[in-house]
Amino acid sequence: MNRVSIGLAVTLLLGTSGLLPAQGAPMPRPATRAERTGYTETSRHADVIRFFDSLILMRAPIVVTELGRSGEGRVLPLVIASRPTVRTPAEARALRRPIVYVQANIHAGEVEGKEAVQALLRDLSFNTAPNVLDSIVLLVVPIYNADGNERFGDQARMRGAQNGPAQVGQRPNAQNLDLNRDYIKAEAPETRATLAAFAAWEPDVFMDLHTTNGSYHGYHLTYSPSLQPAAPLAPYVGDTMLVTIRARMQQRHNFRIFPYGNFTGESGRGSLTDTMKSAFVTYEHKQRFGTNYYGLRGGISILSEAFSHDAFDVRVASTRAFVQEVLSYVAERPAEIRSRVAAGRAASTFSATGARPPVAVRSRFWSKPDTQAVLVEVLERLTDSTARHEPGMPIGLKRTGRLASVRMPVVDRFESALDRTAPAGGWILDASAADSALPRLRAHGVTFERVATAFTADVELFIVDSIARAARPFQGHQEVTLSGRWQRATRTVPAGSWRIPLGTNRDRLAMLLLEPESDDGLVTWNFLDRGLSKAQPAPVWRLVTPR
């Protein structure tokens, strides 16, 4: 890795005069930049590298390798922690333990995850009593958006609603891509490195650490499982696993947590009267988001959102406690977790001759939300309705610190708006789409093969009636939505086209990528544009019978 010398790392981290402790003397444990500055600053990329160099010098049971390189060539460290130490996916699998992958700093202004995982890894490493490292293999990416992290600016400009620190990085990466919208199109080097790590390690659990924006609710942290209705394990994660962890966060740490959401309309950024008329609504279900995406691979997927209006040190503490409780939950029941994930991956694998369950290719907000008690911070109106009480506050309002319990609809999940069943013979991709589509399929681990000899087959064609393109570009793309109808026909599948067969645990994901009606697939992101014309078949055919 491109790193400073380990001796210099220890000097900078421990604040010594430049001399290491005498031989045999205990070495003080390194502190994160946030800890050293009393939570007035957050770590730079070099700080993170030096911190883990120091842990290695002190013989922590960790291995630091590269997840990949950022667009500007910075190392993205991947820390592997376990007792006994493992270095490779094969060694991890040989232990027959759950593998947990924790990712921080995907949005580089949201900094508490980066600080929390550094401190947590240090303390787990040097705790000689039995802990989670004896029961799981922990993979941590502490600074995923390394380039965005280095573009420091005033917090008020970078993240206006966030309560410190004064200087933070920017949301997108060096290409100006939002990495948490890139999981389908996979255009960023950081995303491609992550997908390669997913393929190599096959984590049982994926966690993505963030910070909220906006609403003044009454929770230290909000959370979510995968919101994609096609994710097999989302009900277990949301309704069993996270319910237990929610109770433990209150009992063990005195942190209030709740399913992720924001108040609708003016709610949560207006008066209590406004909020009482609202609902608490989660974010999108689409698989462009990392937590939603990973659920489609059959694993356990968890989003963490620290409360942006809490002080920086409180956000670090709540994030750390949440990660610790997830790790503890997994470590307490390793056989159950591995069994659940095996079932999730089996449910993501379709058989050409067996049952193929319907899959939601388009989704909508849950139509029957529960009414629940939601904690709301009471905001009061200022006498001067044009004044701003503090940075990030809505004009004309001030915080009180008082919480009220308000009953309102909680929309924390989605339901299918359109189901499709995988075709027994898989899909045929027109040769004209190969240059744009195949690299994406390859990155996602979707299997494909070239058709060497033309053959005749029964197929289903999606005849395009209309092509709707978004009025505004998003992440460099004009999102596309198709409407049309399916038509069964006997056609010659030409040589040089590509077949995507069934039979791997990427089948569920392949459906969301390939189906023309998918609301977040290859069509959406313009990778099939060359083959789209009105009144013509889309360039993805469905093979009716196995081959």
Side-chain angles (χ1 to χ4, degrees):
M1 298 172 69
N2 291 337
R3 41 173 103 175
V4 298
S5 71
I6 289 178
L8 178 58
V10 174
T11 299
L12 293 174
L13 278 164
L14 304 182
T16 69
S17 62
L19 299 175
L20 295 177
Q23 188 172 4
M27 184 179 290
R29 295 180 184 176
T32 67
R33 184 164 187 152
E35 291 169 333
R36 298 197 315 274
T37 63
Y39 293 91
T40 61
E41 298 178 12
T42 187
S43 302
R44 295 278 192 162
H45 179 262
D47 295 320
V48 175
I49 299 299
R50 289 192 289 260
F51 182 86
F52 288 108
D53 278 345
S54 298
L55 295 188
I56 290 170
L57 180 68
M58 298 175 70
R59 297 190 175 144
I62 65 171
V63 171
V64 181
T65 184
E66 288 187 21
L67 176 76
R69 298 283 176 124
S70 71
E72 294 182 333
R74 292 183 176 88
V75 168
L76 308 178
L78 173 64
V79 184
I80 311 162
S82 176
R83 297 194 297 221
T85 302
V86 302
R87 296 179 177 274
T88 67
E91 291 176 356
R93 283 190 282 273
L95 290 179
R96 300 182 63 79
R97 296 177 178 176
I99 299 173
V100 181
Y101 185 112
V102 181
Q103 172 179 282
N105 207 224
I106 188 170
H107 294 148
E110 302 172 22
V111 293
E112 47 283 318
K114 174 182 57 177
E115 305 300 339
V117 296
Q118 290 179 80
L120 179 60
L121 278 166
R122 175 198 61 208
D123 295 346
L124 288 173
S125 295
F126 295 116
N127 181 356
T128 57
N131 66 41
V132 298
L133 297 187
D134 301 297
S135 302
I136 67 172
V137 174
L138 177 59
L139 310 177
V140 177
V141 180
I143 185 165
Y144 181 45
N145 185 2
D147 293 344
N149 189 83
E150 298 310 285
R151 284 161 164 75
F152 265 42
D154 290 342
Q155 174 260 306
R157 175 170 58 88
M158 295 296 198
R159 285 185 55 79
Q162 184 166 293
N163 187 359
Q167 294 276 308
V168 297
Q170 70 177 21
R171 182 182 180 90
N173 74 347
Q175 298 166 273
N176 205 34
L177 294 176
D178 187 328
L179 294 175
N180 202 33
R181 308 295 186 273
D182 195 50
Y183 280 88
I184 291 299
K185 57 191 179 69
E187 292 177 314
E190 296 91 341
T191 309
R192 294 192 292 272
T194 300
L195 296 179
F198 287 168
W201 291 90
E202 291 282 4
D204 298 280
V205 180
F206 170 74
M207 288 191 74
D208 198 12
L209 310 183
H210 289 254
T211 317
T212 61
N213 286 312
S215 294
Y216 287 87
H217 56 62
Y219 302 100
H220 297 94
L221 183 144
T222 50
Y223 60 80
S224 179
S226 175
L227 295 175
Q228 171 51 258
L233 296 185
Y236 161 73
V237 178
D239 298 334
T240 299
M241 182 176 182
L242 288 170
V243 169
T244 299
I245 291 167
R246 176 179 169 183
R248 290 180 175 183
M249 286 286 285
Q250 180 72 59
Q251 295 160 3
R252 297 176 177 179
H253 309 280
N254 201 30
F255 284 132
R256 300 179 301 274
I257 72 172
F258 196 73
Y260 176 82
N262 281 293
F263 300 113
T264 54
E266 292 297 316
S267 315
R269 297 185 69 81
S271 69
L272 181 59
T273 302
D274 294 329
T275 302
M276 291 175 71
K277 302 173 185 175
S278 72
F280 199 60
V281 180
T282 192
Y283 73 106
E284 288 185 278
H285 69 283
K286 293 179 179 178
Q287 50 272 14
R288 64 189 64 178
F289 299 88
T291 307
N292 296 340
Y293 170 84
Y294 200 75
L296 292 172
R297 297 175 74 114
I300 291 169
S301 192
I302 298 172
L303 171 72
S304 170
E305 292 268 358
F307 184 47
S308 61
H309 306 298
D310 275 342
F312 182 29
D313 60 335
V314 176
R315 301 199 313 268
V316 173
S318 63
T319 300
R320 173 177 170 154
F322 186 61
V323 174
Q324 176 70 64
E325 289 303 334
V326 170
L327 299 183
S328 296
Y329 185 97
V330 174
E332 289 165 9
R333 42 180 68 76
E336 177 190 339
I337 294 296
R338 294 182 74 234
S339 175
R340 293 240 180 218
V341 173
R345 289 174 179 156
S348 301
T349 307
F350 301 141
S351 167
T353 56
R356 297 184 302 282
V359 172
V361 297
R362 290 185 182 175
S363 300
R364 62 191 171 215
F365 279 117
W366 195 26
S367 59
K368 298 179 180 179
D370 293 334
T371 297
Q372 299 181 40
V374 179
L375 293 178
V376 179
E377 182 173 354
V378 177
L379 305 181
E380 291 184 348
R381 298 197 182 278
L382 298 171
T383 304
D384 182 354
S385 62
T386 65
R388 191 182 297 276
H389 184 253
E390 64 181 58
M393 280 294 297
I395 291 174
L397 292 170
K398 68 175 181 179
R399 300 183 69 179
T400 67
R402 301 195 308 272
L403 299 181
S405 179
V406 179
R407 292 192 65 79
M408 65 181 70
V410 174
V411 186
D412 63 348
R413 63 196 69 195
F414 287 77
E415 63 191 16
S416 176
L418 179 65
D419 284 341
R420 293 295 178 212
T421 302
W427 297 267
I428 295 294
L429 181 66
D430 189 83
S432 67
D435 289 347
S436 58
L438 292 184
R440 272 75 203 175
L441 295 178
R442 183 179 295 111
H444 292 291
V446 174
T447 301
F448 52 84
E449 58 194 27
R450 191 178 181 88
V451 176
T453 304
F455 63 91
T456 300
D458 289 337
V459 298
E460 292 175 328
L461 309 174
F462 186 77
I463 308 301
V464 177
D465 291 335
S466 68
I467 304 171
R469 298 186 185 276
R472 299 182 192 175
F474 177 71
Q475 297 290 294
H477 291 259
Q478 300 285 145
E479 294 176 89
V480 168
T481 302
L482 300 181
S483 62
R485 63 195 188 281
W486 286 100
Q487 176 180 298
R488 188 157 174 166
T490 301
R491 289 289 180 94
T492 297
V493 177
S497 53
W498 296 85
R499 177 173 173 254
I500 299 91
L502 302 182
T504 77
N505 61 18
R506 302 289 188 274
D507 291 345
R508 196 172 284 260
L509 176 58
M511 282 199 71
L512 274 296
L513 291 167
L514 290 164
E515 287 289 325
E517 297 166 292
S518 171
D519 57 13
D520 199 20
L522 298 179
V523 164
T524 310
W525 294 103
N526 309 126
F527 296 121
L528 300 183
D529 276 5
R530 285 183 58 190
L532 294 178
S533 299
K534 289 183 181 179
Q536 296 299 317
V540 178
W541 301 357
R542 294 161 54 94
L543 278 177
V544 173
T545 56
R547 286 190 59 80

